[in-house]
Amino acid sequence: MLDIVATRQTSDIDPIETSEWRDALLSLVQTAGIERAAYVLEALLAQAAALGVRAGGQTRSAYLNTIAARNEPPFPGDLAVEERIASINRWNALAMVVRANQAHGELGGHIASYASAADLFEVGFNHFFRAPCEGFAGDLVYLQPHSAPGVYARAFLEGFLSEDDLAHFRQEITARERGLRGLSSYPHPWLMPDFWQFPTGSMGIGPINAIYQARFMRYLEHRSLAQPSGRKVWGLFGDGEMDEPESIAALTLAAREKLDNLVFVVNCNLQRLDGPVRGNGRIIDELETLYAGAGWNVIKLVWGGDWDALLARDTDGALARAFAHTVDGQFQTFAANDGAYNRAHFFNQNPELAALVADWSDEAIDRLRRGGHDIVKIHAAYHRAVRHRGQPTVILAQTKKGFGMGTAGQGKMTTHQQKKLDDEALLAFRDRFALPISDADCLALKFYKPAQDSAELRYLQSRRAVLGGHLPRRRTESPRLPVPATEQWARFALQADGKEMSSTMAIVRMLGGLLKDDQLGSRIVPIVADEARTFGMANLFRQIGIYSAQGQLYEPEDIGSVLYYREALDGQILEEGITEAGAISSWTAAGTSYSVNGLPMLPFYIYYSMFGFQRIGDLIWAAADQRARGFLIGATSGRTTLGGEGLQHQDGSSHLIASTVPNCRAYDPAYAYEVAVILEHGMKRMLDEQCDEFYYVTVTNENLAQPNLPGDSAREGILRGMHRVRTAMPRDELATGSEPDRSAAADSATAQSNVDNDEPPHVRLLAAGPMLNEALRAAERLHQDFGIAAEVWSVTSFSELARDGRACERDRVLGLNRPSAQSWLEQCLPGTVPVVAASDYVRAVPDQIRAWIKAPYRTLGTDGFGRSDTRARLRDFFEVSADWIALHALDLLAEQDSRHDAARQQLRDQLNTTRRTVVPWLS
C-alpha cells in the first residue's frame, strides 16, 4: 500500500504533465468513444480508491449538455411538422385557460407551465410513449399536473376530445348538465376514469408513486405473473417539485434495484410559484449531484442546438466559464428579456463572449433556445435514456417558464398566475409560433384544428398508431378473480368457541389461509413497513418469502430458525423498511394493477394505525383518486388499547380522517368473526364486482375471548355498521358476549323486530372495536347493581352508518322515495331510549351518527394526547371504561327520571369524580 499524502494539491506544480493527461483522455474519446473513456475513468477511480487516493467525489459536471452534438442520433421524424403540431397545442392550451377565465374569473388554470414543457411532452408522444395494445400493456406516463391543458389540447387534435370539451375546462358540473365531458383541473382518474391514469396534482406524490410502479412491474415479472416486455415508466415533473420530501424519498431504492425501466424528465424552468427555485444557485447542478449521488444515470439537457455553433467557436471555454458563474436568478432575468438585453448583460461581460456574437443580430440572440425547447436534442436525450441499462435515468431539461408568452409572461415572476392575456399579447403569441389564425379568430380565442387530411393530423395519427394508440388512456375493467368461501380461510374465526386471540392475530391467520388458495393466493401482496414481527407475520417469511430484486446474497443469522428471514427473487412480501410513504406507494401500485397492468392484485398493507391516515393521508387520498383496490390494515390500533407505546403511537384519529375519503370503507371490528365477514365482503366487491373502493380495517393487539358468529343473519348488520350482541336479558344469558342466532339484522322489516326480547331496554350501549367488551361489562354492572336493562350493539363502522343516514335523509328531502326510506340506525334504534356510544377514537367519530338518533345521545372517546400505561389505567384516564360508560348511562336516565339520581351519585362517589377537575384532552 502506497503512503498517500492526505492533503489535496491546490496548484498545478507540473502543467505539462497535466496537459499530457488531458490530451490522453481527449485522444481516448476521439478514438474509442465516450463509453470506453467512461469505463477507463471508472477503472482509474477504482484503482485510486484502492490506493487511498480520493478524487473529491465529483458528481457535478460542466453546465453543458451531457450529449455532445456529434453524438446525437439522427432525428427520425419530420421536424417542421412536429414543431407545427407543438405550436398548435400551445395555442389551444392557452386559449382553453384564457377563455375559461374570461367567462368565469374564479376558475383559474395555468398557461406558463405547459408553455415551458410542450416540446418535452411532444417528443414523448410522437416517439416514445407507447400505449397499451394487443400483447403489450403499455408504458406508464406521469404527467406534470399544471400542464394538463396541453394534454387536453393534444387529445383534441387526436379526436378524443371535442371543441365543446375544451370549452368546459374546469367546468365539470356545468358540462355534465349539458351532456358534455368536463375537463378536470389536473390529472384525476376519479373524475376522468377513461383518460387520466395517475393523479399528480399534489406535488411530490407523482415521483414516489412512479418509482414504486416501476418497482412493482419488476415484482410481477420476477414472480412470473407478467412477462418481461420492455415497458417503461415515465415521469415528467417540475424542478420546484423536487423540494417535496416524497419526490426524492425513494431515489436510492430505484438505483439499488436497478430500475432501468424508469425515466424521469425534470422540467427545469427555474421558477416556482413565487420566484426562482434557486435564485442564488443552480437547480440543475443541485439535482445532478442529488441523482448521481443516489446512483441514477443523469443526462443534462441545458442548451438547444442554436448554441452548438457558439460552443464550437468557443475554443477557450469562455461560454462554459460564464455559465458556471451565472446563477438561476440571473438566467431567469435573461429569459424575461430580449436579445439586446442578453447581448448587453451576458455576452458583453467580457471580450471573448462579445466576439462570439459580434456578427449576430439581437433577434438571433433572442432566438437562442434552451435544451428543453429543442425537439432534436430532447429526442437524443430520450433515445439515450431508454437504451441505458442497469440504472434509472433522469433528464434535467432547462426551459423558460412561459416560453413564447413574450413580455406578458416569459420568465416573469408572476407568470405562474398568468391566466389572461391582452389583445397585443395574444397576437404576439400567434406570430411567435407562426400560427395560421386570423386576427379575429385569435382575439376571439378560437380553438384551431387543421383539416383531417392535413399533414399535421396525418402525421400525428400515424405516430400514435406506431406507438400503439392514443395516450393518456385508462383501462377501467380487468379479469374478475373468484373469492374463496370464508370457511376455507376463516373457519377458526366463525366458530371460535371462546378461544382467546387478538384481532391482529386473527387477520394475520386469515391472510395465511388466503395465501394458500390456488387461484387467489398468488395475487395477494402482503406489505409491511418493518413491523412484520410486531404483527405476528414472521411465519410468512419462510412460507412465501420477502421480495428482493437481488435474491439473498448472504446467509441470514437466523437461518436455522423455522421463521428465518428469507429474501428471494420471487418472494411475495413487500418488506419496505421504515418508510410508510414507500409502503403506501407499493400498495397503490398493487391496488391499481388491475388497470395499469390488466392484472388484478389484492394488496394488504399492515401497519401501525397511527402512521397511516395521519402520516401519509395525502398519498392515501391520491390512491383513492386513482381508484385503488385493496385492504389497509391499521394494526395495534386504538388510543387505550396500544398500552405502553405512548403519545406518538396511540391512534385516536384515523377513523375520523378515513371517513372523509369517499371511496374508503372504514371498519373498527371487535371480534374475529366480524373481521372475516368484512374481508369476504371487501374481496367480493373489489375482485368480483370490480367496485372502485378500498377497505380500512383496524385491528388490535388485545387478546379477547372470541365468540362464534351469531348466525348468518348478523352479516348484514356487520357490513352496514352495527349489529346487536346483547339484548336486555337476564344476567344468566350474558356468558358468551354474543346473541346466538339473533341480531338486529335477523328481521329488519319493522323497527319493533329489532328490539323484541323478554325485557325492553332502559338504555342502549353502542361500542366499537375494543370498547365493546367495556360496554358489555357496563351492561352487566347496570343490570346487577342497579337493575337497569341495557342493550349492547357492536358498531363496526360509525362512518358507514353516517353515510347511510345521509343518503336516506337526502332521499326524503328530494322526494326520491327509494325502498330504504329508513336508515339502518333508525331501524335499529327506534324510540327515545337513551343511547351511550363509546369509541377508542376521538368523540367526533361516534358523533357522526348523532343526527339520526332520535333519543338522548352521549358519546365517549379518547380526545387528547395518548400516554404510556396499562389499558385499564388508560381507559379510566380517558373516561371510556365500563364504569364510565355506566355512569353516563345513569346520567342520561337521571335526566329523564329523578329516581336514578341515587344510583348516579353512588357511581360518582366510587369513581371519585370530584377530584377529576382537569379534562383528559387538556392534560
Side-chain angles (χ1 to χ4, degrees):
M1 181 72 178
L2 297 177
D3 185 16
I4 305 296
V5 179
T7 57
R8 182 174 297 173
Q9 185 177 312
T10 57
S11 60
D12 194 345
I13 60 174
D14 192 343
I16 296 176
E17 182 184 37
T18 303
S19 178
E20 290 173 349
W21 280 104
R22 286 175 176 161
D23 290 343
L25 177 61
L26 179 60
S27 175
L28 181 63
V29 171
Q30 291 173 340
T31 58
I34 287 179
E35 289 75 12
R36 173 62 183 163
Y39 178 84
V40 171
L41 276 179
E42 288 175 2
L44 288 172
L45 287 171
Q47 181 67 18
L51 295 172
V53 179
R54 297 191 61 183
Q58 181 70 22
T59 57
R60 182 177 299 179
S61 60
Y63 204 67
L64 298 169
N65 293 342
T66 300
I67 304 173
R70 64 180 178 277
N71 295 317
E72 292 171 6
F75 182 68
D78 187 322
L79 182 60
V81 173
E82 290 193 26
E83 287 179 338
R84 291 202 299 273
I85 293 171
S87 297
I88 294 168
N89 286 335
R90 289 178 192 276
W91 168 258
N92 286 331
L94 178 147
M96 193 186 319
V97 175
V98 177
R99 278 176 63 164
N101 283 273
Q102 283 184 349
H104 306 281
E106 68 204 74
L107 292 178
H110 304 277
I111 301 171
S113 292
Y114 180 69
S116 69
D119 297 307
L120 299 172
F121 280 51
E122 283 302 303
V123 172
F125 281 123
N126 284 326
H127 299 280
F128 294 95
F129 301 163
R130 297 168 296 175
C133 56
E134 186 66 31
F136 181 70
D139 294 333
L140 308 182
V141 186
Y142 288 76
L143 296 164
Q144 192 176 9
H146 295 101
S147 295
V151 181
Y152 294 142
R154 172 170 254 273
F156 169 58
L157 291 191
E158 291 182 5
F160 186 77
L161 297 179
S162 69
E163 186 170 334
D164 282 337
D165 293 332
L166 267 59
H168 287 84
F169 173 62
R170 294 197 174 202
Q171 299 166 72
E172 297 166 84
I173 299 170
T174 302
R176 185 182 302 175
E177 291 174 350
R178 296 173 180 173
L180 302 170
R181 174 197 288 271
L183 304 184
S184 59
S185 54
Y186 304 119
H188 291 298
W190 188 263
L191 301 174
M192 299 179 67
D194 61 345
F195 190 78
W196 293 116
Q197 280 189 300
F198 307 111
T200 55
S202 183
M203 298 289 97
I205 287 178
I208 192 170
N209 276 184
I211 289 171
Y212 280 89
Q213 280 283 9
R215 193 282 202 94
F216 192 72
M217 286 166 58
R218 287 286 169 83
Y219 169 88
L220 293 176
E221 293 172 2
H222 288 156
R223 291 192 54 219
S224 300
L225 293 171
Q227 294 301 312
S229 59
R231 297 172 69 198
K232 296 287 184 182
V233 177
W234 293 82
L236 283 78
F237 307 116
D239 49 358
E241 184 173 4
M242 293 299 113
D243 284 341
E244 289 285 359
E246 294 90 348
S247 293
I248 61 176
L251 297 185
T252 54
L253 176 138
R256 70 174 175 265
E257 301 215 359
K258 299 179 173 57
L259 297 181
D260 52 20
N261 60 342
L262 178 65
V263 179
F264 276 10
V265 181
V266 182
N267 174 19
C268 297
N269 60 33
L270 314 185
Q271 290 182 246
R272 49 191 176 202
L273 275 69
D274 291 337
V277 177
R278 296 290 184 272
N280 296 308
R282 284 195 300 275
I283 187 61
I284 289 180
D285 285 348
E286 183 177 320
L287 293 179
E288 179 185 19
T289 298
L290 174 70
Y291 278 89
W296 287 54
N297 173 45
V298 180
I299 298 174
K300 289 165 72 172
L301 176 57
V302 188
W303 307 110
D306 312 297
W307 290 88
D308 288 342
L310 295 179
L311 288 166
R313 292 164 61 184
D314 181 25
T315 55
D316 294 329
L319 271 175
R321 289 193 298 274
F323 293 153
H325 293 93
T326 305
V327 295
D328 282 355
Q330 192 59 50
F331 277 128
Q332 179 191 342
T333 301
F334 291 146
N337 286 277
D338 60 13
Y341 180 93
N342 280 270
R343 181 193 297 276
H345 294 85
F346 179 76
F347 287 105
N348 285 352
Q349 60 184 293
N350 61 57
E352 293 86 356
L353 290 177
L356 290 175
V357 293
D359 56 346
W360 284 40
S361 67
D362 290 344
E363 183 180 359
I365 293 175
D366 193 43
R367 289 278 182 168
L368 284 169
R369 290 173 295 173
R370 296 184 179 177
H373 301 307
D374 188 315
I375 288 175
V376 173
K377 290 195 176 292
I378 296 168
H379 178 272
Y382 287 11
H383 181 271
R384 178 171 291 188
V386 298
R387 285 161 177 76
H388 187 78
R389 295 293 177 264
Q391 292 173 290
T393 292
V394 62
I395 297 168
L396 305 175
Q398 184 175 220
T399 64
K400 296 179 181 180
K401 192 157 189 175
F403 180 64
M405 293 173 66
T407 57
Q410 181 171 292
K412 300 293 185 183
M413 290 290 188
T414 58
T415 191
H416 190 83
Q417 284 77 24
Q418 192 79 27
K419 299 167 181 63
K420 298 180 181 179
L421 278 76
D422 60 24
D423 290 353
E424 183 180 353
L426 289 171
L427 293 169
F429 187 93
R430 177 203 61 183
D431 295 342
R432 168 68 179 80
F433 293 104
L435 292 159
I437 304 173
S438 68
D439 288 359
D441 286 350
C442 179
L443 300 180
L445 293 165
K446 287 191 176 182
F447 298 122
Y448 175 70
K449 186 174 184 179
Q452 198 62 38
D453 63 348
S454 66
E456 292 86 356
L457 289 197
R458 283 189 285 107
Y459 184 86
L460 181 147
Q461 298 289 359
S462 68
R463 292 307 309 155
R464 287 314 312 164
V466 169
L467 294 168
H470 301 305
L471 275 180
R473 295 294 184 273
R474 181 181 174 277
R475 182 190 290 109
T476 58
E477 292 187 356
S478 68
R480 286 172 164 77
L481 281 180
V483 176
T486 319
E487 289 73 16
Q488 294 181 24
W489 49 272
R491 180 185 296 272
F492 73 93
L494 303 178
Q495 300 173 16
D497 296 329
K499 294 185 180 70
E500 281 202 358
M501 72 179 77
S502 68
S503 52
T504 296
M505 184 189 303
I507 204 167
V508 170
R509 189 171 168 185
M510 293 174 199
L511 179 60
L514 288 167
L515 284 164
K516 295 174 183 176
D517 184 76
D518 290 339
Q519 292 182 287
L520 182 60
S522 64
R523 302 297 185 90
I524 292 174
V525 185
I527 303 169
V528 289
D530 201 37
E531 291 289 358
R533 296 185 192 275
T534 302
F535 305 139
M537 298 174 64
N539 63 304
L540 297 181
F541 291 168
R542 188 166 187 171
Q543 178 184 337
I544 57 175
I546 299 163
Y547 172 71
S548 168
Q550 292 81 37
Q552 192 157 34
L553 306 179
Y554 63 96
E555 181 179 283
E557 174 274 331
D558 60 349
I559 194 168
S561 166
V562 175
L563 308 179
Y564 81 92
Y565 195 84
R566 184 173 76 89
E567 297 187 74
L569 186 65
D570 61 350
Q572 196 162 348
I573 301 169
L574 288 175
E575 167 63 270
E576 300 299 5
I578 306 175
T579 167
E580 285 82 8
I584 193 64
S585 295
S586 271
W587 182 85
T588 301
T592 57
S593 179
Y594 73 93
S595 175
V596 299
N597 302 310
L599 186 70
M601 304 294 287
L602 184 63
F604 284 79
Y605 172 29
I606 306 179
Y607 58 92
Y608 262 78
S609 67
M610 186 65 162
F611 304 137
F613 283 88
Q614 177 162 313
R615 186 179 189 124
I616 49 172
D618 199 19
L619 283 155
I620 295 174
W621 184 262
D625 185 353
Q626 201 169 330
R627 299 171 176 260
R629 303 171 185 171
F631 289 100
L632 296 176
I633 308 299
T636 57
S637 65
R639 181 151 286 158
T640 69
T641 308
L642 180 62
E645 288 293 277
L647 185 151
Q648 191 63 58
H649 289 69
Q650 290 169 339
D651 172 27
S653 59
S654 66
H655 272 285
L656 185 62
I657 305 172
S659 71
T660 67
V661 183
N663 54 337
C664 174
R665 305 285 174 255
Y667 288 90
D668 186 21
Y671 294 138
Y673 71 74
E674 294 176 338
V675 175
V677 169
I678 292 164
L679 289 190
E680 178 192 44
H681 174 73
M683 288 190 290
K684 286 181 177 178
R685 291 276 293 171
M686 296 183 290
L687 300 178
D688 183 31
E689 299 173 31
Q690 300 208 8
C691 297
D692 293 336
E693 59 192 29
F694 64 98
Y695 286 73
Y696 176 52
V697 183
T698 47
V699 290
T700 77
N701 61 350
E702 183 176 12
N703 287 327
L704 298 172
Q706 298 289 337
N708 296 339
L709 174 69
D712 284 341
S713 57
R715 293 175 183 268
E716 182 182 5
I718 292 170
L719 297 174
R720 296 189 69 172
M722 63 185 289
H723 68 113
R724 190 172 54 191
V725 296
R726 181 195 190 277
T727 60
M729 62 178 69
R731 184 172 180 269
D732 60 5
E733 293 184 50
L734 295 175
T736 65
S738 65
E739 183 188 355
D741 297 318
R742 296 170 66 187
S743 77
D747 181 4
S748 59
T750 66
Q752 186 60 40
S753 67
N754 286 328
V755 294
D756 281 343
N757 47 68
D758 296 333
E759 183 181 0
H762 298 125
V763 67
R764 291 180 172 127
L765 306 181
L766 278 55
M771 291 298 103
L772 181 58
N773 269 18
E774 298 294 330
L776 287 167
R777 283 194 285 268
E780 184 173 357
R781 179 164 191 190
L782 287 168
H783 180 82
Q784 182 179 20
D785 296 351
F786 306 109
I788 303 297
E791 194 175 70
V792 181
W793 296 75
S794 174
V795 178
T796 52
S797 179
F798 282 108
S799 58
E800 287 298 295
L801 289 171
R803 287 172 177 173
D804 175 59
R806 286 193 293 270
C808 291
E809 178 183 79
R810 180 179 180 273
D811 286 353
R812 286 197 295 268
V813 172
L814 273 59
L816 300 180
N817 297 320
R818 291 178 181 165
S820 56
Q822 271 195 321
S823 69
W824 188 247
L825 276 165
E826 291 167 319
Q827 294 178 56
C828 294
L829 306 178
T832 58
V833 177
V835 180
V836 178
S839 169
D840 211 6
Y841 294 83
V842 294
R843 282 172 173 79
V845 173
D847 269 333
Q848 293 178 87
I849 65 173
R850 183 179 295 277
W852 300 281
I853 296 179
K854 307 308 179 186
Y857 183 58
R858 185 74 52 80
T859 60
L860 304 180
T862 55
D863 299 67
F865 288 120
R867 57 209 64 212
S868 302
D869 216 310
T870 64
R871 294 187 182 107
R873 287 287 189 180
L874 288 167
R875 287 167 185 171
D876 177 65
F877 173 82
F878 284 107
E879 300 172 5
V880 293
S881 66
D883 286 342
W884 289 97
I885 294 172
L887 176 60
H888 282 276
L890 289 170
D891 185 63
L892 287 177
L893 290 169
E895 289 180 356
Q896 291 183 331
D897 187 340
S898 62
R899 287 178 296 178
H900 296 289
D901 286 350
R904 176 177 61 181
Q905 190 57 48
Q906 178 185 336
L907 196 45
R908 283 174 176 169
D909 293 342
Q910 291 177 12
L911 291 171
N912 202 9
T913 58
T914 57
R915 297 185 60 183
R916 302 180 72 120
T917 57
V918 180
V919 296
W921 52 88
L922 293 179
S923 61

